[in-house]
Amino acid sequence: MRLLLDGDDDQAVHRAAYQWADPARGRITVDPTPHTTSPAYLALDVLRAMGRDTFARPEAERMSTDPAWRAVTCWTLATDVHEAIVLRAHRLTTERLRRLAAWRADTGIRLTLLAHTPEQADEQRLREQLTAAVVTAVVTVRGTAAVLGAIGPAATGRRIGPPPRDHAYPLPTVPRSGVASFRADCWHRQNATDFAHTDAQYRAGYAAARAWLARTLSPQASAVGGIEPAADPAAPTPWNLQETEALRLFLASLAVSSPSPQHTVARVRGAQAGFLSRSVLLNVPDDLTSRAGPGITTVPITPRVVHTITVRLPNPLRAAAIAALLFTGTDTSLLSMTQIASVGEAGTTVAIDRDSRIHIGEPPGPRHMYAVPPRARPLLRAAVEFRRRTPRTAAGHGLFANCFGTTPRFEALIADAGLPIPALDHPHSGDDWHTAAHCWHLHTTTPPASDVLPRLGEFRP
C-alpha cells in the first residue's frame, strides 16, 4: 500500500488523481463523501468510482455495510479493477481504513491513500489510525512533485458518457416456410438488399450447425441416457439426454445475440439445413415466433445495455438478475429456480434443473440450458461470487433469491433497471422454443456438403 502525503494541499494533486483514473482500464479514483464516517457510504463511493453511480433515486434499494463491501470485492474481481487511489485519506476513520485493508487483501488491488496533511499532528493521527487498522508495509511519498510523479500521467482516450445507441439492420417479415423451402421463398419474396441480409443470417446458422456437429456429434448413436436404439436399424434414433442438453445450449448460443425474431428464424432455418446435411433431423416448434426464449423474447447484451445495468444496479445479484431476464427471455418462475451451482465455472452457461425440483423422485430430464453472452459474464461471475461470500450459503441455494421473491421487490427491481424486458411485456405459456426442440439421428447416407452454403444468383426468374 502506498501513502501519498500532500502537505501543501495542492489542487494540482487532486486534479491529477482524477485525470489518472480510467475505470475501463481498471484504474479508479475514490472521493469519499464529506461529512460522513459510515463504512457503507465509503463502499458506495468505491462503487460510484467504478461507474456504478446509483442510489441517486430516493426510492432505490440501499445496501448495508457488509453487503456493500461484498459488492465492492465482487465487482473488483469480476471487472479486473487493479488500481485505486482514495482521496482525503486523512479524514478516514479506523473502521474505514480496516475495510480498505480487507478489500486490498481479498482482491490484491494496488491501493494508494492520498492524504492532505499540512500539520505534523495530522500525519501523526493518520499513522496511529493505520496502525490501529493493522495496515502495515506502507510506502510513504512526500512533497507535491514526488506525489504527482507517484500518481502518474493522465489517462488517454478515456470514454466519457454512455456508449452509442445500438443499431441492427431490420429484416422484413420472413415466410413461415419449413426448412425445405425457406431460403427459396425468401429469395422470391424479398428484394435484393433484404434477401442479402436474411441470407447472411441463414448461412451463419448453417455454418454454425455444421461446425458444432463436427465437434460434438459421436460417430454412431449410442444408448446413453436411458434411450435404446430403435428395433429397426434404419429408423431414426432420438437424441439422448446429454445430447439434448447440448442441443439446447447450441440453439441458445446461436440465437442469444439475435436482434429480432426475424433474425432468429433465419438462423434456425439455416441450422436445420446444416443438421440435415449431416443426417440429423432438427425439429423446432412451428409457432417459433409466438414462443419465448433466446432470440425471440431477448435483448442483445450490447455495451449500452451493460452500461445501463451497471450504472443503475450496483448490487451484483440485482444486476445479474436483470441481465438474465434479458438474455434468457424466459419466465421468472423458471429463472427463480437458478441455483449458485447452475452457473458454469467460466460463467458461460446457465443450467436450470426444473424437472427434478418439480417432480421429485423421477428420473432426471434434460435441463434448461442458456448461453451467457460475453458481455454478461462478468455480471454473472460477480453475482456468484457475491452469493458464495454471503454467510451460511451453499451451492444449492438460489442465486436470485430476494430478486424475484415478492411482487413489490420485483417491481422495484424493474423500476431501478429502467429497461424494457420483452419476456415481461409479451409473456408466453409453455416451454421456451429451444427446450421444445428435438433431434433424431437419420441412418441414411447423405452426399457430402460444403460447410459454407453458396450464394444464390442475383437474378430472379
Side-chain angles (χ1 to χ4, degrees), residues 74-96:
C74 295
W75 284 127
T76 302
L77 295 172
T79 58
D80 194 29
V81 174
H82 54 272
E83 290 187 79
I85 294 178
V86 180
L87 306 179
R88 311 180 207 274
H90 59 291
R91 295 183 178 273
L92 297 177
T93 63
T94 301
E95 177 59 25
R96 285 183 153 200

Side-chain angles (χ1 to χ4, degrees), residues 7 29 38 43 46 92 166 187 224 238 244 310 342 352 362 377 391 405 428 442 457:
T29 296
S38 167
V46 177
L92 297 177
D166 310 319
W187 186 61
V224 181
T244 301
T310 54
S342 298
I352 304 175
E362 294 186 8
R377 290 168 191 172
H428 299 81
L442 302 178

Side-chain angles (χ1 to χ4, degrees), residues 205-276:
Y206 177 90
R210 294 269 303 180
W212 181 77
L213 287 172
R215 292 193 309 267
T216 61
L217 190 61
S218 59
Q220 294 180 349
S222 58
V224 181
I227 298 178
E228 296 292 337
D232 183 1
T237 304
W239 280 25
N240 58 47
L241 185 146
Q242 289 80 9
E243 290 173 326
T244 301
E245 286 188 353
L247 170 68
R248 292 178 175 182
L249 183 58
F250 164 72
L251 293 175
S253 63
L254 179 69
V256 70
S257 62
S258 176
S260 74
Q262 288 75 30
H263 289 76
T264 301
V265 172
R267 293 182 188 183
V268 173
R269 294 293 183 240
Q272 288 180 285
F275 273 62
L276 280 176

Side-chain angles (χ1 to χ4, degrees), residues 1-4 16-18 20-23 25-32 42-43 45-50 69 72 76 80-89 92 99-101 103-104 107-115 150-151:
M1 183 182 294
R2 295 189 304 171
L3 176 61
L4 309 184
Y18 267 106
W20 166 87
D22 189 353
R25 298 178 183 175
R27 300 176 355 193
I28 61 172
T29 296
V30 182
D31 193 356
L42 181 59
D45 292 330
V46 177
L47 292 172
R48 188 177 296 110
M50 291 181 182
W69 279 104
V72 167
T76 302
D80 194 29
V81 174
H82 54 272
E83 290 187 79
I85 294 178
V86 180
L87 306 179
R88 311 180 207 274
L92 297 177
R99 292 282 183 174
L100 289 173
W103 175 35
R104 174 176 173 269
T107 62
I109 192 172
R110 187 188 185 196
L111 188 58
T112 298
L113 302 180
L114 179 55
I151 291 174

Side-chain angles (χ1 to χ4, degrees), residues 23 26 28 43-44 46-55 63 67-82 103 107 109 306-307 309-321 323 375-386 389:
I28 61 172
L44 300 184
V46 177
L47 292 172
R48 188 177 296 110
M50 291 181 182
R52 285 150 181 82
D53 189 14
T54 184
F55 306 126
M63 286 187 289
W69 279 104
R70 280 201 300 274
V72 167
T73 298
C74 295
W75 284 127
T76 302
L77 295 172
T79 58
D80 194 29
V81 174
H82 54 272
W103 175 35
T107 62
I109 192 172
V306 173
H307 174 81
I309 293 174
T310 54
V311 166
R312 298 180 180 179
L313 299 170
N315 186 320
L317 297 181
R318 290 161 57 81
R375 294 188 183 94
R377 290 168 191 172
L379 307 182
L380 267 292
R381 288 198 297 267
V384 170
E385 188 68 22
F386 187 90
R389 291 175 177 269

Side-chain angles (χ1 to χ4, degrees), residues 320-368:
I322 287 295
L325 280 172
L326 293 177
F327 71 74
T328 63
T330 193
D331 189 76
T332 55
S333 62
L334 176 63
L335 204 56
S336 63
M337 297 182 184
T338 307
Q339 299 173 321
I340 298 173
S342 298
V343 181
E345 286 297 325
T348 59
T349 61
V350 174
I352 304 175
D353 191 2
R354 184 190 69 175
D355 295 340
S356 66
R357 300 189 64 180
I358 295 178
H359 308 291
I360 300 175
E362 294 186 8
R367 294 171 297 174
H368 294 244

